[in-house]
Amino acid sequence: MKRLLNILLTLLGCSFQAACMRCEYGTPNITFELKARVVDEQGMPIEGIEVRALHGQDDKHGQPFDHRTGISDYRGEINAGGIMWPGVQYNVRFIDPDGELNGGEFATLDMNISDKVEQVKEGDGNWNEGSYRADLGDVTMTLAEEDDNIDDNDNQ
């Protein structure tokens, strides 16, 4: 009977040893919250600026936060949150996806925010390694410089 039970448990993907351990799928993660107020050089709020988390120097696009919260509102405020990998360098990118619609085309801004990150909750000892937050205060965006180079296609 015991042998039959072991065979049945093995077929179901379980074993006696696995029953004693907690099985988790995925990767270690942290919960992350970022607050900021995006302003122009005159201190006026900018609506529609998106913030993304960057994972290393080769990351060209970044990981979007929850899109409902990762874009500045009419007051320039961002309250972004999401699940991230632990041990990242806490680099973020502020981009202007709508160009001229929000008062001008703003240059992309990359920031290392490691000195602003604080742990607010311990992890559970398993995959979740805790909760962290960063409050950046005012983040000033500058207008993108006009490209003075003439495109080869314009000469034809």
Side-chain angles (χ1 to χ4, degrees):
M1 182 68 174
K2 185 176 179 182
R3 182 177 167 102
L4 179 61
L5 183 59
N6 283 339
I7 292 171
L8 180 61
L9 288 174
T10 301
L11 290 174
L12 294 174
C14 302
S15 70
F16 177 71
Q17 292 174 350
C20 296
M21 296 185 297
R22 180 179 173 145
C23 296
E24 294 187 80
Y25 296 95
T27 59
N29 62 72
I30 63 170
T31 303
F32 189 77
E33 179 183 4
L34 179 138
K35 291 184 180 188
R37 181 174 175 260
V38 185
V39 297
D40 63 15
E41 293 174 291
Q42 288 74 40
M44 299 301 295
I46 308 171
E47 182 177 3
I49 299 296
E50 182 178 354
V51 64
R52 291 176 171 252
L54 300 177
H55 299 290
Q57 294 177 339
D58 296 333
D59 191 350
K60 302 287 185 222
H61 305 289
Q63 172 186 345
F65 288 97
D66 181 341
H67 279 289
R68 290 170 291 151
T69 61
I71 298 177
S72 61
D73 64 14
Y74 71 96
R75 295 179 304 250
E77 294 178 3
I78 292 177
N79 188 4
I83 304 296
M84 295 175 59
W85 301 319
V88 298
Q89 290 295 315
Y90 296 111
N91 293 310
V92 293
R93 173 172 290 156
F94 292 87
I95 60 173
D96 183 2
D98 61 13
E100 296 285 331
L101 292 178
N102 55 1
E105 186 171 347
F106 292 91
T108 298
L109 175 63
D110 289 349
M111 295 177 68
N112 181 298
I113 60 169
S114 296
D115 61 334
K116 306 240 188 240
V117 175
E118 65 177 326
Q119 186 170 9
V120 293
K121 184 178 176 187
E122 292 290 324
D124 63 8
N126 296 300
W127 284 119
N128 182 280
E129 295 189 10
S131 295
Y132 294 78
R133 73 171 168 220
D135 191 345
L136 305 182
D138 283 358
V139 173
T140 303
M141 302 283 290
T142 58
L143 289 173
E145 294 180 16
E146 301 249 349
D147 190 2
D148 294 331
N149 298 332
I150 299 174
D151 190 293
D152 290 340
N153 294 330
D154 291 340
N155 293 331
Q156 297 175 358

